[in-house]
Amino acid sequence: MEQPDQLIHAMKAGDEAAFSKLYGMYSEALFGIIYGIVGDREVAEEALQDAFVKIWNNSASYSPGKGRFFTWILNIARNTAIDKTRSKAFKNSRKNLSTTNFVDILASSDNLNKKTNAIGIKKYVDALKPACIKIIELLFFKGFTQADAAEELDIPLGTLKTRNRNCINELRAIVLG
Amino acid sequence: MSTEEIISSGKLELYVTGSLPAKEAAEIAEAVRKDPVLQKEVEAIETSLIQLAGSVSPGVASTIWSKILNSIRPVRTMEEPDTRSVNWAAISGWAAAVLAVGGIFWLLNTNKDLQDEIELTTTENSDLREQLQETETRLAGSKEILNILRSKDYETILLPGNRDVAPEAFAKVYFDKTNMVAYIDSRGLPEATTTMVYQAWSLKLDPLTPTSMGLLDQANEVEEGIYKFENVPDPDAFGITLEPAGGSESPTLTQLYTLGTVSP
């Protein structure tokens, strides 16, 4: 998917309609990321709202020359979600969700009913090696830096890069065919 | 680094997930911007990740977008009623403050007025007390004089007017021979001018020796027109002359207004 630079430019200029289109394009993915971090629908919805308000308010600070728009809003979404998990109320309400990852969430019947696409993805994600699930979880869903992820997985940085590339290649084959 | 080398390095995947250090990310961004092949590669990586994340989403509720709009359009939507209620709070707050300040000034003013009144009343009281004292003093004087008139110790001597000077004039002397005290009533004398004063004399007749008793002035006045003199030398007669202010050592006989003898 090509980056919608014109919409981004219009949003930076205060165009609500452009912002609405970008929301339509990215909100589902960001909600998946946020939900993967907080594991609670209500909290995730709050975080998603907060994240998009931040995207709108800080849109002037994004420039396409610096990196991908998706990377920029992905960071905002992850940081907003992580902030939510740090609140005391969240810590008290959260029970046994600390060990879930995106595959566990994907496996829940709730999601499968809603998203026809997810069924297909689930089938292949199930085929992803446990090492791939772990690496994608850390780098994409949790926002670890490459150095932190290598340390967490106790593998050299070079191995991390190669393994991550192979895992995403597998994902691309599943998703894009 | 060639295009192929960059692709196989695995940096593009880390670039999209935001896992690269800032410096490396900037280098990749620059390389991608220049190279359509890298651009396509990045887009493919990104799309697969977006699909994956979206598949994990439990479904975004349709209400979320309107909540976001409410947050980014505070003035047109939520703030209006809010502003009004905030204003009411502010208005009543200010009103209360103004009333309180007004009340304080009113109380201070009232307090000052009351203090002024107290001061005025105190002054009036002291004036009244002075008047009372004066009245009491006068009453005492009047009582004394009344006692003298009634007393058997005092002899009343009429001093008729001198035919040559003031035939209509007269004066009365009340004289206590035992204690040598005399009161002179000047009601029958014409009013003296400001530069002149009446002077009382006790007289020995043989030979004629006048001795000054004193002036009919404020220093000796005990009641309006009544003057008291003590230690009066034993007289044969009393005389009153009009003298220049301050009095004279010997009487000016041309100005002898009244003269009367004491009965033996």
Side-chain angles (χ1 to χ4, degrees):
Chain A
M1 186 177 82
E2 246 179 81
Q3 180 161 304
D5 283 335
Q6 280 192 333
L7 288 178
I8 293 161
H9 188 75
M11 176 189 70
K12 281 158 71 82
D15 184 340
E16 267 178 24
F19 183 46
S20 169
K21 279 181 189 159
L22 291 167
Y23 174 83
M25 292 166 78
Y26 295 104
S27 59
E28 212 61 71
L30 294 191
F31 196 46
I33 296 287
I34 289 168
Y35 187 73
I37 291 168
V38 302
D40 176 275
R41 184 172 186 121
E42 220 174 293
V43 179
E45 283 182 347
E46 253 178 58
L48 184 69
Q49 278 174 51
D50 292 353
F52 270 95
V53 171
K54 283 180 198 171
I55 289 165
W56 172 262
N57 289 339
N58 299 307
S59 60
S61 71
Y62 170 74
S63 91
K66 283 187 193 165
R68 301 292 292 175
F69 178 69
F70 176 68
T71 309
W72 184 69
I73 63 175
L74 175 66
N75 266 323
I76 290 174
R78 286 191 300 221
N79 291 337
T80 307
I82 289 164
D83 280 350
K84 290 278 178 202
T85 67
R86 286 182 182 139
S87 79
K88 205 179 170 191
F90 180 83
K91 280 177 185 162
N92 291 341
S93 71
R94 182 150 179 160
K95 284 151 196 140
N96 295 317
L97 293 164
S98 56
T99 55
T100 56
N101 60 36
F102 71 94
V103 178
D104 299 328
I105 294 163
L106 201 54
S108 73
S109 56
D110 200 26
N111 287 315
L112 293 180
N113 290 343
K114 274 184 193 143
K115 304 197 70 75
T116 50
N117 201 13
I119 301 167
I121 289 176
K122 185 193 177 305
K123 196 169 132 195
Y124 292 100
V125 164
D126 279 348
L128 279 176
K129 295 177 191 117
C132 282
I133 293 166
K134 191 84 185 158
I135 209 167
I136 291 171
E137 175 76 12
L138 289 182
L139 290 171
F140 182 44
F141 285 87
K142 296 291 193 285
F144 277 50
T145 62
Q146 57 177 13
D148 288 346
E151 198 187 323
E152 173 77 16
L153 298 172
D154 198 17
I155 52 172
L157 190 55
T159 311
L160 178 92
K161 285 180 183 171
T162 315
R163 194 179 289 175
N164 182 47
R165 170 162 164 72
N166 292 339
C167 290
I168 289 176
N169 273 342
E170 276 185 47
L171 181 70
R172 283 167 65 174
I174 295 163
V175 174
L176 309 173
Chain B
M1 265 177 135
S2 72
T3 302
E4 270 313 304
E5 279 170 336
I6 290 175
I7 290 172
S8 60
S9 73
K11 282 186 180 182
L12 296 179
E13 287 79 1
L14 294 166
Y15 169 67
V16 172
T17 56
S19 316
L20 288 179
K23 195 180 163 228
E24 271 185 70
E27 285 166 6
I28 297 294
E30 181 65 14
V32 169
R33 197 175 61 79
K34 289 177 185 165
D35 190 334
V37 178
L38 291 181
Q39 187 115 16
K40 286 280 164 217
E41 184 70 8
V42 163
E43 282 165 9
I45 293 164
E46 185 179 281
T47 304
S48 67
L49 287 172
I50 287 173
Q51 288 286 326
L52 175 66
S55 69
V56 174
S57 162
V60 178
S62 57
T63 52
I64 307 281
W65 174 244
S66 60
K67 286 178 184 171
I68 291 166
L69 276 185
N70 278 344
S71 296
I72 66 168
R73 293 194 295 203
V75 179
R76 267 176 286 172
T77 54
M78 290 177 70
E79 286 288 295
E80 246 176 329
D82 268 1
T83 306
R84 197 164 293 170
S85 70
V86 164
N87 276 350
W88 275 117
I91 286 165
S92 47
W94 279 109
V98 168
L99 278 178
V101 169
I104 286 165
F105 274 109
W106 180 77
L107 281 174
L108 285 175
N109 219 30
T110 308
N111 193 31
K112 195 184 169 294
D113 286 352
L114 286 172
Q115 270 177 352
D116 287 351
E117 257 176 66
I118 288 171
E119 215 168 303
L120 190 64
T121 309
T122 308
T123 311
E124 278 175 358
N125 267 352
S126 98
D127 284 355
L128 286 172
R129 208 171 293 138
E130 267 174 41
Q131 277 180 25
L132 179 66
Q133 217 162 358
E134 209 174 295
T135 309
E136 275 175 348
T137 310
R138 250 195 233 167
L139 181 64
S142 299
K143 270 184 181 168
E144 197 186 341
I145 288 157
L146 191 61
N147 278 337
I148 290 160
L149 292 177
R150 286 168 154 185
S151 166
K152 63 178 173 58
D153 298 334
Y154 281 86
E155 190 189 338
T156 306
I157 302 146
L158 178 68
L159 311 183
N162 183 354
R163 204 169 297 152
D164 300 331
V165 179
E168 300 300 315
F170 70 94
K172 271 183 172 177
V173 178
Y174 304 93
F175 182 51
D176 178 353
K177 256 186 194 171
T178 320
N179 297 306
M180 294 300 172
V181 175
Y183 286 88
I184 296 174
D185 184 346
S186 68
R187 190 191 291 174
L189 295 172
E191 190 118 338
T193 61
T194 51
T195 56
M196 305 297 277
V197 66
Y198 287 110
Q199 191 167 1
W201 306 89
S202 76
L203 304 163
K204 278 285 182 191
L205 292 176
D206 192 21
L208 184 65
T209 316
T211 309
S212 175
M213 289 162 65
L215 302 174
L216 272 59
D217 64 3
Q218 267 188 329
N220 296 314
E221 194 170 31
V222 289
E223 180 70 4
E224 207 178 331
I226 296 177
Y227 305 84
K228 183 181 181 179
F229 301 95
E230 289 175 275
N231 302 318
V232 178
D234 187 24
D236 293 331
F238 291 102
I240 296 173
T241 57
L242 191 63
E243 304 290 345
S248 305
E249 287 204 3
S250 57
T252 309
L253 292 176
T254 54
Q255 292 295 317
L256 179 66
Y257 272 58
T258 58
L259 181 69
T261 53
V262 182
S263 58

